[in-house]
Amino acid sequence: MKWLVIFLVSIIVFLTSNICAQDVLKKQFAYAKNLYSNEDYYDAITELKRLLFFDTGCHYTFEAYMLMGKSYKMGGKFSDAILNYTDAELNAKTIQQIYQAKIEIIRTNILRRTTDRALQLLGELEKDKRFAHKANEINYWRGWDFMFADKWDDASKSFSKIDSCKQLKYLAEKVHKDKYSEVFSNLISHFIPGTGQIYTGNYFSGFLSLGWNILWGYVTVNSFAANRIFDGLVELNLLWLRFYNGNIQNAQNFAKEKNLVITNKALNYLQFKYDGLKP
Amino acid sequence: MKKTIFLILCYSSILIAQSVDKQKEVNLFSPSNIKKFADYLFCSHDYLRAALEYQRYLSTNHNDTVSYKIAIANSKIGNYSKAAKLFTSIDHKSHFFSDAQLEYYKALFQDEDYFELRNDIINADSSNQFLHSPRAKKLFYFSYLFTNDSLPSENQFLSPFDGTDFQRVKDFYNWKEAPPYKSSLVAGILAAIIPGLGKFYVKEYSDGVFAFLATAALGYLSYTDFKAGHDIRGWVFGGVAAGFYAGNIYGSIAAAQIYNVKIQFDFVNSLKIFLNAQDFFIPEIKFCR
């Protein structure tokens, strides 16, 4: 009887002190979460670091690292965010938590524009049998990854594998169709100077380029025809080829600029008007 | 029975006392826990957070180690002027006083406040052993390499240095005394005599060759056109050749100036690399294992 009472007292005191300790950690986590909600990311990180430092029983390790990753991400410190998500993954206790951390790493890689790394991680996730039922979500982030990598056709193909993603599929298709081909623009400029610019809608620049090439081509050919070989060579190198090469570079740059406008418009729409999940 | 109750009471009180201790331990914002956390942040190189936590600790306690660490943390995050102020506030009775004095000069140096640094050392009482230590002297003389003030004599300058540093510092001194600059005037004159020669002088060989060939070719074209009676073409090529010639003179003068800026930049860069490798001649106290 005596020993039973002593045992019960010990258990009660031990449990009370442990519950108290956990309660403090719980409050600390709630405090950090509140700071995060109020967009006070710097202080949120400080309090999460404090929580991690005192949480010797690792009760909140996963949650704290995840929230720290989110805080860094919101502050634009993507590399730090990825480091914290990786720590969260290492401290995950369930498969769902591992998946959650991995997806956050992928999303941050997309935002950081390290899209190749994100694609590699998505591939690994897809091969992992534990996440076989997450195919739709994996394809969704792959689509986003392709959009950020400026591969709109691939993005459209990824979104087409998901029934509920028609809006993104059409957007990616439209951007792909609207974009100018840099290769084509470059190629036609080789054959007829100025056509690359005309193809991208820069008519004045295109005709001007054509005019310069005709003029210096004529002068050069005229010199060669009059047996003024040295004059011809100088005119060819210093004048005609200069305008000819400039025309090719110009056509390619115009195509790049136009494509940038098109893709920026699409990304702007995604950032401000798209309601679904974003990286 | 009484014995049993007594035993239970004793045991419970021990457990409750331990429990109270544990509760104190889990008060994350108790001064001792704030300090523990700040120490952890400091050793994780998270100096800004560490400084803030140490300041929080100091609001309830006095601790010269913590004051010193706040100053160090500020210095680490590049807040040199604040660090300098904090180092001067370390009490002369403190164990860290002598280190704080030297760190103060290091902070002034890092803040590029060389005038203040030298002034303090020159005006210091001769009995002040910290200010007349070889470390302070090294910083004092080294500061001359970063300014345009006249250098002390070579012997005086090199007196605090020895060992492996000596030759390196001597090289820096010699560079500063006679920097290997290129004259813009010479570059311009050389370019005027032979197009491209100015560029050769500032070690831009490919530009020099191109300038020579372009000016010569265009000049020759102009000459042959005039000779063949194609006056208009002669004037056009002559004009372009004159443009190349004048442009080359201007380019050579500019290249000499760019060359000088580049070697000055390289010099300052190598000084900074050397100083960082030497930890500004003032090694840190190792607080973290």
Side-chain angles (χ1 to χ4, degrees), chain B residues 237-274:
Chain B
F237 284 118
V240 177
F244 264 88
Y245 179 78
N248 175 54
I249 295 172
Y250 174 79
S252 298
I253 294 168
Q257 287 168 350
I258 292 166
Y259 177 89
N260 292 343
V261 170
K262 188 183 172 293
I263 59 161
Q264 171 69 20
F265 177 81
D266 288 346
F267 174 67
V268 171
N269 232 13
S270 49
L271 284 180
K272 284 180 179 169
I273 290 168
F274 176 76

mmCIF file of all heavy atoms in Angstrom, chain B residues 237-274:
data_model
loop_
_atom_site.group_PDB
_atom_site.id
_atom_site.type_symbol
_atom_site.label_atom_id
_atom_site.label_comp_id
_atom_site.label_asym_id
_atom_site.label_seq_id
_atom_site.Cartn_x
_atom_site.Cartn_y
_atom_site.Cartn_z
ATOM 1 N N PHE B 237 37.045 58.267 -96.710
ATOM 2 C CA PHE B 237 37.962 57.358 -96.007
ATOM 3 C C PHE B 237 38.970 58.132 -95.159
ATOM 4 O O PHE B 237 39.351 57.693 -94.076
ATOM 5 C CB PHE B 237 38.674 56.426 -96.993
ATOM 6 C CG PHE B 237 37.772 55.317 -97.485
ATOM 7 C CD1 PHE B 237 37.444 55.203 -98.822
ATOM 8 C CD2 PHE B 237 37.246 54.385 -96.592
ATOM 9 C CE1 PHE B 237 36.612 54.186 -99.265
ATOM 10 C CE2 PHE B 237 36.410 53.371 -97.038
ATOM 11 C CZ PHE B 237 36.096 53.265 -98.371
ATOM 12 N N GLY B 238 39.384 59.304 -95.663
ATOM 13 C CA GLY B 238 40.309 60.144 -94.895
ATOM 14 C C GLY B 238 39.674 60.600 -93.588
ATOM 15 O O GLY B 238 40.301 60.576 -92.524
ATOM 16 N N GLY B 239 38.392 60.973 -93.687
ATOM 17 C CA GLY B 239 37.653 61.406 -92.480
ATOM 18 C C GLY B 239 37.548 60.283 -91.474
ATOM 19 O O GLY B 239 37.766 60.476 -90.263
ATOM 20 N N VAL B 240 37.211 59.073 -92.000
ATOM 21 C CA VAL B 240 37.073 57.919 -91.090
ATOM 22 C C VAL B 240 38.434 57.602 -90.447
ATOM 23 O O VAL B 240 38.525 57.323 -89.244
ATOM 24 C CB VAL B 240 36.501 56.689 -91.844
ATOM 25 C CG1 VAL B 240 36.417 55.482 -90.921
ATOM 26 C CG2 VAL B 240 35.127 57.008 -92.413
ATOM 27 N N ALA B 241 39.495 57.689 -91.255
ATOM 28 C CA ALA B 241 40.843 57.413 -90.733
ATOM 29 C C ALA B 241 41.209 58.422 -89.647
ATOM 30 O O ALA B 241 41.753 58.053 -88.594
ATOM 31 C CB ALA B 241 41.867 57.459 -91.859
ATOM 32 N N ALA B 242 40.870 59.695 -89.883
ATOM 33 C CA ALA B 242 41.160 60.748 -88.890
ATOM 34 C C ALA B 242 40.385 60.466 -87.604
ATOM 35 O O ALA B 242 40.901 60.649 -86.494
ATOM 36 C CB ALA B 242 40.784 62.121 -89.443
ATOM 37 N N GLY B 243 39.129 60.006 -87.768
ATOM 38 C CA GLY B 243 38.298 59.655 -86.609
ATOM 39 C C GLY B 243 38.942 58.541 -85.807
ATOM 40 O O GLY B 243 39.025 58.615 -84.573
ATOM 41 N N PHE B 244 39.421 57.518 -86.519
ATOM 42 C CA PHE B 244 40.098 56.395 -85.843
ATOM 43 C C PHE B 244 41.340 56.882 -85.108
ATOM 44 O O PHE B 244 41.619 56.472 -83.988
ATOM 45 C CB PHE B 244 40.493 55.324 -86.868
ATOM 46 C CG PHE B 244 39.479 54.210 -86.964
ATOM 47 C CD1 PHE B 244 38.404 54.289 -87.823
ATOM 48 C CD2 PHE B 244 39.614 53.067 -86.181
ATOM 49 C CE1 PHE B 244 37.471 53.272 -87.907
ATOM 50 C CE2 PHE B 244 38.688 52.045 -86.246
ATOM 51 C CZ PHE B 244 37.606 52.142 -87.127
ATOM 52 N N TYR B 245 42.091 57.751 -85.788
ATOM 53 C CA TYR B 245 43.350 58.266 -85.230
ATOM 54 C C TYR B 245 43.078 59.038 -83.927
ATOM 55 O O TYR B 245 43.681 58.771 -82.890
ATOM 56 C CB TYR B 245 44.010 59.181 -86.270
ATOM 57 C CG TYR B 245 45.300 59.803 -85.808
ATOM 58 C CD1 TYR B 245 46.485 59.064 -85.792
ATOM 59 C CD2 TYR B 245 45.338 61.138 -85.403
ATOM 60 C CE1 TYR B 245 47.674 59.649 -85.365
ATOM 61 C CE2 TYR B 245 46.513 61.725 -84.978
ATOM 62 C CZ TYR B 245 47.683 60.977 -84.961
ATOM 63 O OH TYR B 245 48.851 61.542 -84.525
ATOM 64 N N ALA B 246 42.080 59.977 -84.018
ATOM 65 C CA ALA B 246 41.755 60.790 -82.834
ATOM 66 C C ALA B 246 41.158 59.902 -81.736
ATOM 67 O O ALA B 246 41.499 60.044 -80.551
ATOM 68 C CB ALA B 246 40.774 61.894 -83.208
ATOM 69 N N GLY B 247 40.293 58.991 -82.148
ATOM 70 C CA GLY B 247 39.652 58.095 -81.183
ATOM 71 C C GLY B 247 40.676 57.235 -80.465
ATOM 72 O O GLY B 247 40.545 56.963 -79.269
ATOM 73 N N ASN B 248 41.686 56.834 -81.185
ATOM 74 C CA ASN B 248 42.734 56.003 -80.593
ATOM 75 C C ASN B 248 43.545 56.777 -79.553
ATOM 76 O O ASN B 248 43.894 56.243 -78.501
ATOM 77 C CB ASN B 248 43.627 55.470 -81.719
ATOM 78 C CG ASN B 248 44.803 54.710 -81.175
ATOM 79 O OD1 ASN B 248 44.636 53.789 -80.390
ATOM 80 N ND2 ASN B 248 46.004 55.124 -81.547
ATOM 81 N N ILE B 249 43.781 58.066 -79.837
ATOM 82 C CA ILE B 249 44.504 58.888 -78.843
ATOM 83 C C ILE B 249 43.652 59.020 -77.572
ATOM 84 O O ILE B 249 44.117 58.784 -76.458
ATOM 85 C CB ILE B 249 44.828 60.290 -79.417
ATOM 86 C CG1 ILE B 249 45.812 60.155 -80.588
ATOM 87 C CG2 ILE B 249 45.399 61.215 -78.338
ATOM 88 C CD1 ILE B 249 46.058 61.439 -81.354
ATOM 89 N N TYR B 250 42.385 59.354 -77.802
ATOM 90 C CA TYR B 250 41.478 59.502 -76.664
ATOM 91 C C TYR B 250 41.361 58.178 -75.894
ATOM 92 O O TYR B 250 41.416 58.142 -74.657
ATOM 93 C CB TYR B 250 40.100 59.954 -77.181
ATOM 94 C CG TYR B 250 39.048 59.994 -76.104
ATOM 95 C CD1 TYR B 250 38.981 61.059 -75.207
ATOM 96 C CD2 TYR B 250 38.125 58.951 -75.958
ATOM 97 C CE1 TYR B 250 38.031 61.086 -74.206
ATOM 98 C CE2 TYR B 250 37.166 58.976 -74.954
ATOM 99 C CZ TYR B 250 37.128 60.044 -74.087
ATOM 100 O OH TYR B 250 36.191 60.070 -73.094
ATOM 101 N N GLY B 251 41.218 57.081 -76.670
ATOM 102 C CA GLY B 251 41.075 55.748 -76.073
ATOM 103 C C GLY B 251 42.298 55.356 -75.260
ATOM 104 O O GLY B 251 42.176 54.732 -74.200
ATOM 105 N N SER B 252 43.479 55.745 -75.744
ATOM 106 C CA SER B 252 44.709 55.395 -75.021
ATOM 107 C C SER B 252 44.790 56.142 -73.694
ATOM 108 O O SER B 252 45.193 55.572 -72.673
ATOM 109 C CB SER B 252 45.936 55.727 -75.868
ATOM 110 O OG SER B 252 45.896 54.970 -77.046
ATOM 111 N N ILE B 253 44.394 57.432 -73.710
ATOM 112 C CA ILE B 253 44.392 58.215 -72.457
ATOM 113 C C ILE B 253 43.407 57.589 -71.463
ATOM 114 O O ILE B 253 43.727 57.382 -70.288
ATOM 115 C CB ILE B 253 44.030 59.700 -72.744
ATOM 116 C CG1 ILE B 253 45.131 60.342 -73.591
ATOM 117 C CG2 ILE B 253 43.807 60.479 -71.451
ATOM 118 C CD1 ILE B 253 44.768 61.698 -74.175
ATOM 119 N N ALA B 254 42.212 57.256 -71.974
ATOM 120 C CA ALA B 254 41.196 56.647 -71.100
ATOM 121 C C ALA B 254 41.678 55.294 -70.581
ATOM 122 O O ALA B 254 41.473 54.962 -69.403
ATOM 123 C CB ALA B 254 39.883 56.484 -71.852
ATOM 124 N N ALA B 255 42.344 54.532 -71.472
ATOM 125 C CA ALA B 255 42.822 53.197 -71.074
ATOM 126 C C ALA B 255 43.852 53.300 -69.955
ATOM 127 O O ALA B 255 43.874 52.463 -69.040
ATOM 128 C CB ALA B 255 43.411 52.475 -72.275
ATOM 129 N N ALA B 256 44.706 54.346 -70.015
ATOM 130 C CA ALA B 256 45.706 54.535 -68.957
ATOM 131 C C ALA B 256 45.016 54.824 -67.626
ATOM 132 O O ALA B 256 45.408 54.300 -66.570
ATOM 133 C CB ALA B 256 46.638 55.690 -69.321
ATOM 134 N N GLN B 257 43.959 55.646 -67.687
ATOM 135 C CA GLN B 257 43.223 55.970 -66.449
ATOM 136 C C GLN B 257 42.534 54.715 -65.898
ATOM 137 O O GLN B 257 42.566 54.462 -64.690
ATOM 138 C CB GLN B 257 42.185 57.066 -66.715
ATOM 139 C CG GLN B 257 42.845 58.425 -66.907
ATOM 140 C CD GLN B 257 41.888 59.472 -67.452
ATOM 141 O OE1 GLN B 257 40.778 59.152 -67.871
ATOM 142 N NE2 GLN B 257 42.331 60.709 -67.478
ATOM 143 N N ILE B 258 41.941 53.925 -66.803
ATOM 144 C CA ILE B 258 41.258 52.690 -66.371
ATOM 145 C C ILE B 258 42.280 51.718 -65.769
ATOM 146 O O ILE B 258 42.026 51.085 -64.744
ATOM 147 C CB ILE B 258 40.498 52.048 -67.552
ATOM 148 C CG1 ILE B 258 39.320 52.949 -67.942
ATOM 149 C CG2 ILE B 258 40.000 50.651 -67.211
ATOM 150 C CD1 ILE B 258 38.688 52.616 -69.274
ATOM 151 N N TYR B 259 43.454 51.661 -66.410
ATOM 152 C CA TYR B 259 44.528 50.786 -65.926
ATOM 153 C C TYR B 259 44.905 51.169 -64.486
ATOM 154 O O TYR B 259 45.019 50.308 -63.609
ATOM 155 C CB TYR B 259 45.732 50.932 -66.858
ATOM 156 C CG TYR B 259 46.940 50.128 -66.440
ATOM 157 C CD1 TYR B 259 47.091 48.817 -66.877
ATOM 158 C CD2 TYR B 259 47.920 50.671 -65.621
ATOM 159 C CE1 TYR B 259 48.194 48.067 -66.492
ATOM 160 C CE2 TYR B 259 49.018 49.933 -65.230
ATOM 161 C CZ TYR B 259 49.156 48.632 -65.669
ATOM 162 O OH TYR B 259 50.240 47.893 -65.279
ATOM 163 N N ASN B 260 45.025 52.473 -64.261
ATOM 164 C CA ASN B 260 45.409 52.940 -62.915
ATOM 165 C C ASN B 260 44.344 52.621 -61.876
ATOM 166 O O ASN B 260 44.657 52.208 -60.769
ATOM 167 C CB ASN B 260 45.679 54.445 -62.928
ATOM 168 C CG ASN B 260 46.915 54.772 -63.736
ATOM 169 O OD1 ASN B 260 47.731 53.877 -64.008
ATOM 170 N ND2 ASN B 260 47.056 56.011 -64.146
ATOM 171 N N VAL B 261 43.083 52.823 -62.275
ATOM 172 C CA VAL B 261 41.983 52.517 -61.343
ATOM 173 C C VAL B 261 41.987 51.022 -61.024
ATOM 174 O O VAL B 261 41.801 50.622 -59.867
ATOM 175 C CB VAL B 261 40.623 52.943 -61.950
ATOM 176 C CG1 VAL B 261 39.461 52.418 -61.114
ATOM 177 C CG2 VAL B 261 40.539 54.457 -62.046
ATOM 178 N N LYS B 262 42.237 50.224 -62.052
ATOM 179 C CA LYS B 262 42.201 48.765 -61.870
ATOM 180 C C LYS B 262 43.309 48.308 -60.902
ATOM 181 O O LYS B 262 43.052 47.532 -59.986
ATOM 182 C CB LYS B 262 42.363 48.062 -63.216
ATOM 183 C CG LYS B 262 42.158 46.574 -63.138
ATOM 184 C CD LYS B 262 42.397 45.906 -64.473
ATOM 185 C CE LYS B 262 42.370 44.403 -64.334
ATOM 186 N NZ LYS B 262 43.492 43.874 -63.557
ATOM 187 N N ILE B 263 44.511 48.838 -61.107
ATOM 188 C CA ILE B 263 45.576 48.354 -60.208
ATOM 189 C C ILE B 263 45.406 48.903 -58.784
ATOM 190 O O ILE B 263 45.750 48.234 -57.825
ATOM 191 C CB ILE B 263 47.015 48.591 -60.749
ATOM 192 C CG1 ILE B 263 47.272 50.052 -60.978
ATOM 193 C CG2 ILE B 263 47.311 47.767 -61.969
ATOM 194 C CD1 ILE B 263 48.769 50.310 -61.056
ATOM 195 N N GLN B 264 44.826 50.094 -58.679
ATOM 196 C CA GLN B 264 44.520 50.630 -57.342
ATOM 197 C C GLN B 264 43.476 49.739 -56.658
ATOM 198 O O GLN B 264 43.596 49.402 -55.477
ATOM 199 C CB GLN B 264 44.002 52.077 -57.480
ATOM 200 C CG GLN B 264 43.439 52.698 -56.207
ATOM 201 C CD GLN B 264 44.510 52.965 -55.163
ATOM 202 O OE1 GLN B 264 45.692 53.038 -55.479
ATOM 203 N NE2 GLN B 264 44.092 53.079 -53.913
ATOM 204 N N PHE B 265 42.477 49.324 -57.440
ATOM 205 C CA PHE B 265 41.416 48.442 -56.920
ATOM 206 C C PHE B 265 42.018 47.099 -56.478
ATOM 207 O O PHE B 265 41.706 46.603 -55.393
ATOM 208 C CB PHE B 265 40.370 48.238 -58.014
ATOM 209 C CG PHE B 265 39.270 47.291 -57.630
ATOM 210 C CD1 PHE B 265 38.206 47.717 -56.845
ATOM 211 C CD2 PHE B 265 39.300 45.965 -58.034
ATOM 212 C CE1 PHE B 265 37.202 46.847 -56.473
ATOM 213 C CE2 PHE B 265 38.295 45.086 -57.672
ATOM 214 C CZ PHE B 265 37.240 45.526 -56.889
ATOM 215 N N ASP B 266 42.893 46.553 -57.319
ATOM 216 C CA ASP B 266 43.527 45.269 -56.986
ATOM 217 C C ASP B 266 44.361 45.387 -55.710
ATOM 218 O O ASP B 266 44.390 44.476 -54.880
ATOM 219 C CB ASP B 266 44.429 44.793 -58.141
ATOM 220 C CG ASP B 266 43.601 44.324 -59.321
ATOM 221 O OD1 ASP B 266 42.390 44.121 -59.139
ATOM 222 O OD2 ASP B 266 44.169 44.178 -60.428
ATOM 223 N N PHE B 267 45.036 46.530 -55.592
ATOM 224 C CA PHE B 267 45.891 46.759 -54.415
ATOM 225 C C PHE B 267 45.042 46.774 -53.136
ATOM 226 O O PHE B 267 45.338 46.055 -52.176
ATOM 227 C CB PHE B 267 46.643 48.085 -54.584
ATOM 228 C CG PHE B 267 47.435 48.501 -53.378
ATOM 229 C CD1 PHE B 267 48.545 47.764 -52.979
ATOM 230 C CD2 PHE B 267 47.077 49.614 -52.637
ATOM 231 C CE1 PHE B 267 49.280 48.144 -51.862
ATOM 232 C CE2 PHE B 267 47.800 50.000 -51.524
ATOM 233 C CZ PHE B 267 48.905 49.260 -51.131
ATOM 234 N N VAL B 268 43.966 47.569 -53.162
ATOM 235 C CA VAL B 268 43.102 47.676 -51.978
ATOM 236 C C VAL B 268 42.480 46.311 -51.667
ATOM 237 O O VAL B 268 42.381 45.911 -50.505
ATOM 238 C CB VAL B 268 42.009 48.760 -52.191
ATOM 239 C CG1 VAL B 268 40.982 48.738 -51.074
ATOM 240 C CG2 VAL B 268 42.648 50.129 -52.291
ATOM 241 N N ASN B 269 42.108 45.600 -52.718
ATOM 242 C CA ASN B 269 41.519 44.265 -52.548
ATOM 243 C C ASN B 269 42.494 43.311 -51.871
ATOM 244 O O ASN B 269 42.129 42.596 -50.947
ATOM 245 C CB ASN B 269 41.176 43.714 -53.930
ATOM 246 C CG ASN B 269 39.754 43.245 -53.965
ATOM 247 O OD1 ASN B 269 38.978 43.547 -53.059
ATOM 248 N ND2 ASN B 269 39.411 42.504 -54.979
ATOM 249 N N SER B 270 43.761 43.341 -52.344
ATOM 250 C CA SER B 270 44.727 42.418 -51.740
ATOM 251 C C SER B 270 45.060 42.832 -50.299
ATOM 252 O O SER B 270 45.309 41.985 -49.450
ATOM 253 C CB SER B 270 45.988 42.275 -52.587
ATOM 254 O OG SER B 270 46.459 43.522 -52.940
ATOM 255 N N LEU B 271 44.995 44.145 -50.016
ATOM 256 C CA LEU B 271 45.190 44.598 -48.626
ATOM 257 C C LEU B 271 44.092 44.032 -47.736
ATOM 258 O O LEU B 271 44.351 43.534 -46.641
ATOM 259 C CB LEU B 271 45.115 46.128 -48.551
ATOM 260 C CG LEU B 271 46.297 46.946 -49.023
ATOM 261 C CD1 LEU B 271 45.996 48.438 -48.847
ATOM 262 C CD2 LEU B 271 47.550 46.600 -48.250
ATOM 263 N N LYS B 272 42.848 44.100 -48.253
ATOM 264 C CA LYS B 272 41.708 43.627 -47.453
ATOM 265 C C LYS B 272 41.779 42.117 -47.241
ATOM 266 O O LYS B 272 41.486 41.631 -46.142
ATOM 267 C CB LYS B 272 40.388 44.010 -48.134
ATOM 268 C CG LYS B 272 40.069 45.480 -47.959
ATOM 269 C CD LYS B 272 38.768 45.867 -48.616
ATOM 270 C CE LYS B 272 38.485 47.350 -48.389
ATOM 271 N NZ LYS B 272 37.379 47.833 -49.208
ATOM 272 N N ILE B 273 42.183 41.401 -48.281
ATOM 273 C CA ILE B 273 42.295 39.936 -48.155
ATOM 274 C C ILE B 273 43.348 39.597 -47.099
ATOM 275 O O ILE B 273 43.138 38.759 -46.230
ATOM 276 C CB ILE B 273 42.629 39.293 -49.516
ATOM 277 C CG1 ILE B 273 41.415 39.408 -50.445
ATOM 278 C CG2 ILE B 273 43.044 37.833 -49.372
ATOM 279 C CD1 ILE B 273 41.699 39.081 -51.899
ATOM 280 N N PHE B 274 44.481 40.312 -47.183
ATOM 281 C CA PHE B 274 45.567 40.089 -46.228
ATOM 282 C C PHE B 274 45.101 40.380 -44.789
ATOM 283 O O PHE B 274 45.319 39.585 -43.878
ATOM 284 C CB PHE B 274 46.756 40.984 -46.602
ATOM 285 C CG PHE B 274 47.895 40.917 -45.629
ATOM 286 C CD1 PHE B 274 48.751 39.833 -45.613
ATOM 287 C CD2 PHE B 274 48.112 41.944 -44.711
ATOM 288 C CE1 PHE B 274 49.802 39.769 -44.705
ATOM 289 C CE2 PHE B 274 49.151 41.890 -43.808
ATOM 290 C CZ PHE B 274 50.001 40.795 -43.808
#
